[in-house]
Coordinates of all heavy atoms in Angstrom, one line a residue:
H1 N 60.2 -26.9 40.1 CA 61.4 -27.5 40.3 C 61.6 -27.9 41.7 O 61.2 -27.2 42.6 CB 62.6 -26.6 39.8 CG 62.6 -26.4 38.3 ND1 63.2 -27.4 37.5 CD2 62.2 -25.4 37.6 CE1 63.1 -27.0 36.3 NE2 62.5 -25.8 36.3
E2 N 62.3 -29.0 41.9 CA 62.6 -29.5 43.3 C 63.8 -28.9 43.8 O 64.8 -28.7 43.1 CB 62.8 -31.0 43.1 CG 62.8 -31.8 44.4 CD 62.9 -33.3 44.2 OE1 62.1 -33.8 43.4 OE2 63.8 -33.9 44.7
A3 N 63.8 -28.5 45.1 CA 64.9 -27.9 45.7 C 66.0 -28.9 45.9 O 65.8 -30.1 46.2 CB 64.6 -27.3 47.0
V4 N 67.3 -28.5 45.6 CA 68.4 -29.5 45.7 C 69.3 -29.0 46.9 O 69.7 -27.8 46.9 CB 69.2 -29.6 44.4 CG1 70.4 -30.4 44.6 CG2 68.3 -30.1 43.3
T5 N 69.5 -29.8 47.8 CA 70.4 -29.5 48.9 C 71.5 -30.6 49.0 O 71.2 -31.8 48.8 CB 69.6 -29.6 50.3 OG1 68.5 -28.6 50.2 CG2 70.5 -29.2 51.4
E6 N 72.7 -30.1 49.1 CA 73.8 -31.0 49.2 C 74.4 -31.0 50.6 O 74.5 -30.0 51.2 CB 74.9 -30.7 48.1 CG 74.5 -30.9 46.7 CD 75.6 -30.7 45.7 OE1 76.8 -30.8 46.1 OE2 75.3 -30.5 44.6
Q7 N 74.8 -32.2 51.0 CA 75.4 -32.3 52.3 C 76.5 -33.3 52.3 O 76.4 -34.4 51.8 CB 74.4 -32.7 53.4 CG 75.0 -32.8 54.8 CD 73.9 -33.1 55.8 OE1 72.7 -33.1 55.5 NE2 74.3 -33.4 57.0
Y8 N 77.7 -32.9 52.8 CA 78.8 -33.8 52.8 C 78.6 -34.8 54.0 O 78.3 -34.5 55.1 CB 80.1 -33.0 53.1 CG 81.3 -33.8 53.4 CD1 82.0 -34.3 52.3 CD2 81.8 -34.1 54.6 CE1 83.2 -35.1 52.5 CE2 82.9 -34.8 54.8 CZ 83.6 -35.3 53.8 OH 84.7 -36.1 54.0
I9 N 78.8 -36.1 53.6 CA 78.5 -37.1 54.7 C 79.7 -38.0 55.0 O 79.6 -38.8 55.9 CB 77.3 -38.1 54.3 CG1 77.6 -38.8 52.9 CG2 76.0 -37.3 54.2 CD1 76.6 -39.8 52.6
G10 N 80.8 -37.8 54.4 CA 82.0 -38.5 54.8 C 82.9 -38.8 53.6 O 82.6 -38.5 52.5
A11 N 84.1 -39.4 54.0 CA 85.1 -39.7 52.9 C 85.6 -41.1 53.2 O 85.7 -41.5 54.3 CB 86.2 -38.6 53.0
I12 N 86.0 -41.7 52.1 CA 86.7 -43.0 52.2 C 88.1 -42.7 51.6 O 88.1 -42.3 50.4 CB 85.9 -44.1 51.5 CG1 84.6 -44.3 52.2 CG2 86.7 -45.4 51.4 CD1 83.7 -45.3 51.4
Y13 N 89.1 -43.0 52.3 CA 90.4 -42.8 51.8 C 91.0 -44.1 51.4 O 90.8 -45.2 52.1 CB 91.3 -42.1 52.9 CG 90.8 -40.8 53.2 CD1 90.0 -40.5 54.3 CD2 91.2 -39.7 52.4 CE1 89.5 -39.2 54.6 CE2 90.7 -38.4 52.7 CZ 89.9 -38.2 53.8 OH 89.4 -36.9 54.0
F14 N 91.7 -44.1 50.3 CA 92.4 -45.3 49.7 C 93.9 -45.1 49.7 O 94.4 -44.0 49.4 CB 91.9 -45.5 48.3 CG 90.4 -45.8 48.1 CD1 89.5 -44.7 48.1 CD2 90.0 -47.1 48.0 CE1 88.1 -45.0 48.0 CE2 88.6 -47.3 47.8 CZ 87.7 -46.3 47.8
P15 N 94.6 -46.2 50.0 CA 96.0 -46.1 49.8 C 96.3 -45.9 48.3 O 95.5 -46.1 47.4 CB 96.5 -47.5 50.2 CG 95.5 -48.0 51.1 CD 94.2 -47.5 50.5
T16 N 97.5 -45.4 48.0 CA 97.9 -45.2 46.6 C 97.7 -46.4 45.7 O 98.1 -47.5 46.1 CB 99.4 -44.8 46.5 OG1 99.6 -43.6 47.4 CG2 99.9 -44.4 45.1
N17 N 97.1 -46.1 44.5 CA 96.8 -47.1 43.5 C 95.9 -48.3 44.0 O 96.0 -49.4 43.4 CB 98.1 -47.7 42.9 CG 98.8 -46.7 42.1 OD1 98.2 -45.8 41.5 ND2 100.1 -46.7 42.1
V18 N 95.1 -48.1 45.0 CA 94.2 -49.1 45.5 C 92.8 -48.7 45.3 O 92.4 -47.6 45.5 CB 94.5 -49.3 47.0 CG1 93.5 -50.3 47.6 CG2 95.9 -49.9 47.2
T19 N 91.9 -49.7 44.9 CA 90.5 -49.4 44.7 C 89.6 -50.2 45.7 O 88.4 -50.0 45.8 CB 90.0 -49.8 43.3 OG1 90.2 -51.2 43.1 CG2 90.7 -49.0 42.3
F20 N 90.2 -51.1 46.6 CA 89.5 -51.9 47.6 C 89.1 -51.0 48.7 O 89.9 -50.2 49.3 CB 90.4 -53.0 48.0 CG 89.8 -53.8 49.1 CD1 88.8 -54.8 48.9 CD2 90.2 -53.7 50.5 CE1 88.3 -55.5 49.9 CE2 89.7 -54.4 51.5 CZ 88.7 -55.4 51.2
V21 N 87.8 -51.1 49.1 CA 87.3 -50.3 50.3 C 87.7 -51.1 51.5 O 87.2 -52.3 51.7 CB 85.8 -50.1 50.2 CG1 85.3 -49.4 51.4 CG2 85.4 -49.4 48.9
E22 N 88.5 -50.5 52.4 CA 88.9 -51.2 53.6 C 87.8 -51.4 54.6 O 86.8 -50.6 54.6 CB 90.0 -50.4 54.2 CG 91.3 -50.3 53.4 CD 92.4 -49.6 54.0 OE1 92.3 -49.2 55.2 OE2 93.5 -49.4 53.4
P23 N 87.8 -52.5 55.3 CA 86.8 -52.9 56.3 C 86.4 -51.8 57.3 O 85.3 -51.7 57.7 CB 87.3 -54.1 57.0 CG 88.2 -54.7 56.0 CD 88.9 -53.6 55.3
A24 N 87.3 -50.9 57.6 CA 87.1 -49.9 58.6 C 86.0 -48.9 58.1 O 85.3 -48.3 58.9 CB 88.4 -49.0 58.8
Y25 N 85.7 -48.9 56.8 CA 84.6 -48.0 56.3 C 83.3 -48.7 56.2 O 82.3 -48.1 55.8 CB 85.0 -47.5 54.9 CG 86.2 -46.6 55.0 CD1 87.5 -47.0 54.5 CD2 86.1 -45.3 55.5 CE1 88.6 -46.2 54.6 CE2 87.2 -44.5 55.6 CZ 88.4 -44.9 55.1 OH 89.5 -44.1 55.2
R26 N 83.2 -50.0 56.5 CA 81.9 -50.7 56.4 C 80.8 -50.1 57.3 O 79.7 -50.1 57.0 CB 82.1 -52.2 56.7 CG 83.1 -52.8 55.7 CD 82.6 -52.9 54.3 NE 83.7 -53.3 53.4 CZ 83.8 -54.6 52.9 NH1 83.0 -55.5 53.3 NH2 84.8 -54.9 52.1
T27 N 81.2 -49.7 58.5 CA 80.2 -49.2 59.5 C 79.6 -47.9 58.9 O 78.4 -47.7 58.9 CB 80.8 -48.9 60.8 OG1 81.3 -50.1 61.4 CG2 79.8 -48.2 61.8
M28 N 80.5 -47.0 58.3 CA 80.0 -45.8 57.7 C 79.0 -46.1 56.5 O 78.0 -45.5 56.4 CB 81.1 -44.9 57.2 CG 80.7 -43.6 56.6 SD 82.0 -42.5 56.1 CE 82.7 -43.4 54.7
L29 N 79.4 -47.1 55.7 CA 78.6 -47.4 54.6 C 77.3 -48.0 55.0 O 76.2 -47.8 54.4 CB 79.3 -48.4 53.6 CG 80.5 -47.7 52.9 CD1 81.3 -48.8 52.1 CD2 80.0 -46.6 51.9
G30 N 77.3 -48.8 56.1 CA 76.0 -49.4 56.6 C 75.1 -48.3 57.1 O 73.9 -48.3 56.9
D31 N 75.7 -47.3 57.8 CA 74.9 -46.1 58.3 C 74.3 -45.4 57.1 O 73.1 -44.9 57.1 CB 75.8 -45.2 59.1 CG 76.2 -45.7 60.4 OD1 75.7 -46.8 60.9 OD2 77.2 -45.2 61.0
I32 N 75.1 -45.2 56.0 CA 74.6 -44.5 54.8 C 73.4 -45.3 54.2 O 72.4 -44.8 53.9 CB 75.7 -44.2 53.8 CG1 76.7 -43.2 54.4 CG2 75.1 -43.8 52.5 CD1 78.0 -43.1 53.6
A33 N 73.6 -46.6 54.2 CA 72.6 -47.5 53.6 C 71.3 -47.4 54.4 O 70.2 -47.3 53.8 CB 73.1 -48.9 53.5
R34 N 71.4 -47.4 55.7 CA 70.2 -47.3 56.6 C 69.5 -46.0 56.4 O 68.3 -45.9 56.3 CB 70.6 -47.5 58.0 CG 70.7 -49.0 58.4 CD 70.9 -49.2 59.9 NE 72.2 -48.8 60.4 CZ 73.3 -49.4 60.1 NH1 73.3 -50.5 59.4 NH2 74.4 -49.0 60.6
F35 N 70.3 -44.9 56.3 CA 69.7 -43.6 56.1 C 69.0 -43.5 54.8 O 67.8 -43.0 54.7 CB 70.8 -42.5 56.1 CG 70.3 -41.2 55.8 CD1 69.7 -40.4 56.7 CD2 70.5 -40.6 54.5 CE1 69.2 -39.1 56.4 CE2 70.0 -39.4 54.2 CZ 69.4 -38.6 55.2
L36 N 69.6 -44.1 53.7 CA 68.9 -44.1 52.4 C 67.6 -45.0 52.4 O 66.6 -44.6 51.8 CB 69.9 -44.6 51.3 CG 71.0 -43.7 51.0 CD1 72.0 -44.3 50.1 CD2 70.6 -42.4 50.4
E37 N 67.7 -46.1 53.2 CA 66.5 -46.9 53.3 C 65.3 -46.2 54.0 O 64.2 -46.3 53.6 CB 66.8 -48.2 54.0 CG 65.6 -49.1 54.1 CD 66.0 -50.4 54.9 OE1 67.1 -50.5 55.5 OE2 65.2 -51.3 54.8
Q38 N 65.7 -45.4 55.0 CA 64.7 -44.6 55.7 C 64.2 -43.4 55.0 O 63.2 -42.8 55.3 CB 65.2 -44.2 57.1 CG 65.5 -45.4 58.0 CD 66.3 -45.1 59.2 OE1 66.8 -43.9 59.4 NE2 66.6 -46.1 60.1
N39 N 65.0 -43.0 54.0 CA 64.7 -41.7 53.2 C 64.8 -42.0 51.7 O 65.7 -41.6 51.1 CB 65.7 -40.6 53.6 CG 65.6 -40.3 55.1 OD1 64.8 -39.5 55.5 ND2 66.5 -40.9 55.9
P40 N 63.8 -42.8 51.2 CA 63.9 -43.3 49.8 C 63.9 -42.2 48.7 O 64.3 -42.5 47.6 CB 62.7 -44.2 49.7 CG 61.8 -43.8 50.7 CD 62.6 -43.2 51.9
T41 N 63.5 -41.0 49.1 CA 63.6 -39.9 48.1 C 64.9 -39.2 48.0 O 65.2 -38.4 47.1 CB 62.5 -38.8 48.3 OG1 62.7 -38.3 49.6 CG2 61.1 -39.5 48.3
I42 N 65.8 -39.5 48.9 CA 67.1 -38.9 48.9 C 68.0 -39.6 47.8 O 68.0 -40.8 47.7 CB 67.8 -39.1 50.3 CG1 67.1 -38.4 51.4 CG2 69.3 -38.7 50.3 CD1 67.2 -36.9 51.4
R43 N 68.7 -38.8 47.1 CA 69.7 -39.3 46.1 C 71.1 -39.1 46.6 O 71.4 -38.1 47.2 CB 69.5 -38.7 44.8 CG 68.2 -39.0 44.2 CD 68.1 -38.3 42.8 NE 66.8 -38.6 42.2 CZ 66.6 -39.3 41.2 NH1 67.7 -39.8 40.6 NH2 65.5 -39.6 40.7
L44 N 71.9 -40.1 46.4 CA 73.3 -40.0 46.8 C 74.2 -39.7 45.6 O 74.1 -40.4 44.6 CB 73.7 -41.3 47.5 CG 75.1 -41.4 48.1 CD1 75.3 -40.5 49.2 CD2 75.4 -42.9 48.5
R45 N 75.1 -38.8 45.7 CA 76.1 -38.6 44.7 C 77.5 -38.9 45.2 O 77.9 -38.4 46.2 CB 76.1 -37.1 44.2 CG 77.2 -36.9 43.1 CD 77.2 -35.6 42.5 NE 76.9 -34.5 43.4 CZ 77.0 -33.2 43.0 NH1 77.4 -32.9 41.8 NH2 76.8 -32.3 43.8
L46 N 78.1 -39.8 44.6 CA 79.5 -40.2 44.9 C 80.5 -39.6 44.0 O 80.3 -39.6 42.8 CB 79.6 -41.8 44.9 CG 78.8 -42.6 45.8 CD1 79.0 -44.1 45.5 CD2 79.2 -42.3 47.2
T47 N 81.6 -39.1 44.5 CA 82.6 -38.6 43.7 C 83.9 -39.3 44.1 O 84.1 -39.6 45.3 CB 82.8 -37.1 43.8 OG1 82.9 -36.8 45.2 CG2 81.6 -36.4 43.3
G48 N 84.8 -39.6 43.2 CA 86.0 -40.2 43.4 C 87.2 -39.3 43.1 O 87.1 -38.6 42.1
Y49 N 88.2 -39.4 43.9 CA 89.4 -38.5 43.6 C 90.6 -39.4 43.8 O 90.6 -40.4 44.4 CB 89.5 -37.4 44.6 CG 88.3 -36.4 44.5 CD1 87.2 -36.6 45.3 CD2 88.3 -35.4 43.5 CE1 86.1 -35.7 45.2 CE2 87.2 -34.6 43.4 CZ 86.1 -34.7 44.2 OH 85.1 -33.9 44.1
A50 N 91.7 -38.9 43.2 CA 93.0 -39.5 43.4 C 94.0 -38.4 43.6 O 93.9 -37.3 43.2 CB 93.4 -40.3 42.1
D51 N 95.1 -38.8 44.3 CA 96.2 -37.8 44.5 C 96.9 -37.5 43.2 O 96.8 -38.3 42.3 CB 97.1 -38.2 45.7 CG 97.9 -39.4 45.4 OD1 98.3 -39.6 44.2 OD2 98.1 -40.2 46.3
P52 N 97.7 -36.5 43.2 CA 98.3 -36.1 41.9 C 99.6 -36.9 41.5 O 100.3 -36.5 40.6 CB 98.7 -34.6 42.1 CG 98.9 -34.5 43.6 CD 97.9 -35.5 44.2
R53 N 99.8 -38.0 42.2 CA 101.1 -38.7 41.9 C 101.1 -39.4 40.6 O 102.2 -39.6 40.0 CB 101.3 -39.8 43.0 CG 101.8 -39.1 44.3 CD 102.0 -40.2 45.4 NE 101.0 -39.9 46.4 CZ 101.0 -40.6 47.6 NH1 101.9 -41.5 47.8 NH2 100.1 -40.3 48.5
G54 N 100.0 -39.8 40.1 CA 99.9 -40.6 38.8 C 99.6 -39.6 37.7 O 99.3 -38.4 37.8
S55 N 99.5 -40.2 36.5 CA 99.2 -39.4 35.3 C 97.7 -39.1 35.3 O 96.9 -39.7 36.1 CB 99.5 -40.2 34.0 OG 98.6 -41.3 33.9
L56 N 97.2 -38.1 34.6 CA 95.8 -37.7 34.5 C 95.0 -38.9 34.1 O 94.0 -39.2 34.7 CB 95.6 -36.6 33.5 CG 94.2 -36.1 33.4 CD1 93.7 -35.6 34.7 CD2 94.2 -35.0 32.4
K57 N 95.4 -39.7 33.1 CA 94.6 -40.8 32.6 C 94.5 -41.9 33.7 O 93.4 -42.4 33.9 CB 95.3 -41.4 31.4 CG 94.5 -42.5 30.7 CD 95.2 -43.0 29.4 CE 94.4 -44.1 28.8 NZ 95.0 -44.5 27.5
L58 N 95.6 -42.2 34.4 CA 95.6 -43.2 35.4 C 94.7 -42.7 36.6 O 93.9 -43.5 37.1 CB 97.0 -43.4 36.0 CG 97.1 -44.3 37.2 CD1 96.7 -45.8 36.8 CD2 98.5 -44.3 37.8
N59 N 94.8 -41.4 37.0 CA 94.0 -40.9 38.1 C 92.5 -40.9 37.8 O 91.7 -41.1 38.7 CB 94.5 -39.6 38.6 CG 95.8 -39.7 39.4 OD1 96.1 -40.8 39.9 ND2 96.6 -38.7 39.4
E60 N 92.2 -40.6 36.5 CA 90.7 -40.6 36.1 C 90.2 -42.0 36.3 O 89.1 -42.2 36.8 CB 90.6 -40.0 34.7 CG 90.7 -38.6 34.6 CD 90.6 -38.1 33.2 OE1 90.6 -38.9 32.2 OE2 90.6 -36.8 33.0
S61 N 90.9 -43.0 35.8 CA 90.5 -44.3 35.9 C 90.4 -44.8 37.3 O 89.5 -45.4 37.8 CB 91.4 -45.2 35.1 OG 91.1 -46.6 35.3
L62 N 91.4 -44.5 38.1 CA 91.5 -44.8 39.5 C 90.3 -44.2 40.3 O 89.6 -44.9 41.1 CB 92.8 -44.4 40.1 CG 93.1 -44.8 41.5 CD1 93.1 -46.4 41.7 CD2 94.5 -44.2 42.0
S63 N 90.0 -43.0 40.0 CA 88.9 -42.3 40.7 C 87.6 -43.0 40.4 O 86.7 -43.2 41.3 CB 88.8 -40.8 40.3 OG 90.0 -40.1 40.7
Q64 N 87.4 -43.3 39.1 CA 86.2 -44.0 38.7 C 86.1 -45.4 39.4 O 85.0 -45.7 39.8 CB 86.1 -44.1 37.2 CG 84.9 -44.8 36.6 CD 83.6 -44.0 36.8 OE1 83.7 -42.8 36.9 NE2 82.5 -44.7 36.9
Q65 N 87.1 -46.1 39.4 CA 87.1 -47.4 40.0 C 86.8 -47.3 41.5 O 86.1 -48.2 42.1 CB 88.5 -48.1 39.8 CG 88.7 -48.5 38.3 CD 90.1 -49.1 38.1 OE1 90.6 -49.9 38.9 NE2 90.7 -48.6 37.0
R66 N 87.3 -46.3 42.2 CA 87.1 -46.2 43.6 C 85.6 -45.9 43.9 O 85.0 -46.4 44.8 CB 88.0 -45.1 44.2 CG 89.4 -45.5 44.2 CD 90.3 -44.3 44.6 NE 91.7 -44.8 44.9 CZ 92.7 -44.0 45.2 NH1 92.5 -42.7 45.3 NH2 93.9 -44.6 45.5
A67 N 85.1 -45.0 43.1 CA 83.6 -44.6 43.2 C 82.8 -45.9 43.0 O 81.8 -46.2 43.7 CB 83.2 -43.5 42.3
M68 N 83.1 -46.6 42.0 CA 82.4 -47.9 41.6 C 82.5 -48.9 42.7 O 81.6 -49.7 42.9 CB 82.8 -48.4 40.3 CG 82.4 -47.5 39.1 SD 80.6 -47.0 39.2 CE 79.8 -48.5 39.0
A69 N 83.7 -49.0 43.4 CA 83.9 -49.9 44.5 C 82.9 -49.6 45.6 O 82.3 -50.5 46.2 CB 85.3 -49.9 45.0
V70 N 82.7 -48.3 45.9 CA 81.7 -47.9 46.9 C 80.3 -48.2 46.5 O 79.5 -48.8 47.2 CB 81.9 -46.4 47.2 CG1 80.8 -46.0 48.2 CG2 83.3 -46.2 47.8
V71 N 80.0 -47.9 45.2 CA 78.6 -48.3 44.7 C 78.4 -49.8 44.8 O 77.3 -50.2 45.2 CB 78.5 -47.8 43.2 CG1 77.2 -48.4 42.6 CG2 78.5 -46.3 43.2
D72 N 79.4 -50.6 44.4 CA 79.3 -52.0 44.5 C 78.9 -52.5 45.9 O 78.1 -53.3 46.1 CB 80.5 -52.7 44.0 CG 80.4 -54.2 44.0 OD1 79.6 -54.8 43.3 OD2 81.3 -54.8 44.7
L73 N 79.6 -52.0 46.9 CA 79.4 -52.4 48.3 C 78.0 -51.9 48.7 O 77.2 -52.7 49.3 CB 80.4 -51.8 49.2 CG 81.7 -52.5 49.3 CD1 82.7 -51.7 50.2 CD2 81.5 -53.9 49.9
L74 N 77.6 -50.7 48.3 CA 76.3 -50.2 48.7 C 75.1 -51.1 48.1 O 74.1 -51.4 48.8 CB 76.1 -48.8 48.4 CG 76.9 -47.8 49.3 CD1 76.8 -46.4 48.7 CD2 76.3 -47.8 50.7
T75 N 75.3 -51.4 46.9 CA 74.3 -52.2 46.2 C 74.3 -53.7 46.5 O 73.3 -54.3 46.7 CB 74.3 -52.0 44.7 OG1 75.6 -52.3 44.2 CG2 74.0 -50.5 44.3
R76 N 75.5 -54.3 46.5 CA 75.6 -55.7 46.7 C 75.5 -56.1 48.1 O 74.8 -57.1 48.5 CB 77.0 -56.2 46.1 CG 77.2 -57.7 46.1 CD 78.5 -58.1 45.4 NE 79.6 -57.2 45.8 CZ 80.3 -57.4 46.9 NH1 80.0 -58.4 47.7 NH2 81.4 -56.6 47.2
V77 N 76.2 -55.4 49.0 CA 76.2 -55.8 50.4 C 75.0 -55.2 51.2 O 74.4 -55.9 52.1 CB 77.6 -55.4 51.1 CG1 77.6 -55.7 52.6 CG2 78.7 -56.1 50.4
Y78 N 74.7 -54.0 50.9 CA 73.7 -53.3 51.7 C 72.3 -53.1 51.0 O 71.4 -52.5 51.5 CB 74.2 -51.9 52.2 CG 75.4 -52.1 53.1 CD1 76.7 -51.8 52.5 CD2 75.3 -52.5 54.4 CE1 77.8 -51.9 53.3 CE2 76.4 -52.6 55.2 CZ 77.7 -52.3 54.7 OH 78.8 -52.5 55.5
D79 N 72.2 -53.7 49.8 CA 71.0 -53.7 49.0 C 70.4 -52.3 48.7 O 69.2 -52.1 48.7 CB 69.9 -54.5 49.7 CG 70.3 -56.0 49.7 OD1 70.9 -56.5 48.7 OD2 70.0 -56.7 50.8
V80 N 71.3 -51.3 48.6 CA 70.8 -50.0 48.2 C 70.5 -50.0 46.7 O 71.3 -50.4 45.9 CB 71.9 -48.9 48.5 CG1 71.5 -47.6 48.0 CG2 72.2 -48.8 50.0
P81 N 69.2 -49.6 46.4 CA 68.9 -49.6 44.9 C 69.6 -48.5 44.2 O 70.0 -47.5 44.7 CB 67.4 -49.4 44.9 CG 67.1 -48.7 46.2 CD 68.2 -49.1 47.2
T82 N 69.9 -48.8 42.9 CA 70.6 -47.8 42.1 C 69.6 -47.0 41.3 O 68.4 -47.3 41.2 CB 71.5 -48.5 41.0 OG1 70.7 -49.4 40.2 CG2 72.6 -49.2 41.7

C-alpha cells in the first residue's frame, strides 16, 4: 500500500450564496497548478463547505458548486488534468 499524507494548502472563501471564485485567489490556484505540474504523482482533494445560514439541502448544493468552481478553474484555466 502507498503511504497517504495529507497537507492543508489553503482556503478559498466565498461570500454568502456565491460560487464564483474571486480573482484574488487566482495566484494561489496558479501556484497549486504549478506544484501539481512539477509533482504529477500528487493527488489533490478539494472539499467545499458552506456556513450554517441556509438549509442543509441548499448548503450541500452550494458546497458542491464551490468545489466544482475551483476544479473548473484548475482544469480549464491552468490545464491541471483530472
Side-chain angles (χ1 to χ4, degrees):
H1 291 281
E2 192 174 309
V4 175
T5 302
E6 291 189 19
Q7 182 175 350
Y8 174 81
I9 58 173
I12 295 175
Y13 295 97
F14 295 82
T16 300
N17 292 328
V18 173
T19 61
F20 175 77
V21 178
E22 294 184 5
Y25 293 107
R26 302 293 172 96
T27 299
M28 180 177 71
L29 291 173
D31 292 344
I32 292 168
R34 279 186 291 286
F35 176 79
L36 293 171
E37 182 179 13
Q38 295 167 357
N39 300 278
T41 60
I42 298 287
R43 292 181 182 249
L44 180 66
R45 177 174 38 173
L46 295 173
T47 54
Y49 297 96
D51 64 38
R53 288 181 244 188
S55 69
L56 179 59
K57 184 175 181 177
L58 174 69
N59 284 340
E60 285 177 352
S61 175
L62 186 60
S63 297
Q64 180 68 28
Q65 290 174 45
R66 288 173 172 176
M68 292 310 298
V70 174
V71 169
D72 180 61
L73 280 174
L74 287 172
T75 57
R76 186 177 45 81
V77 175
Y78 299 102
D79 296 321
V80 173
T82 56

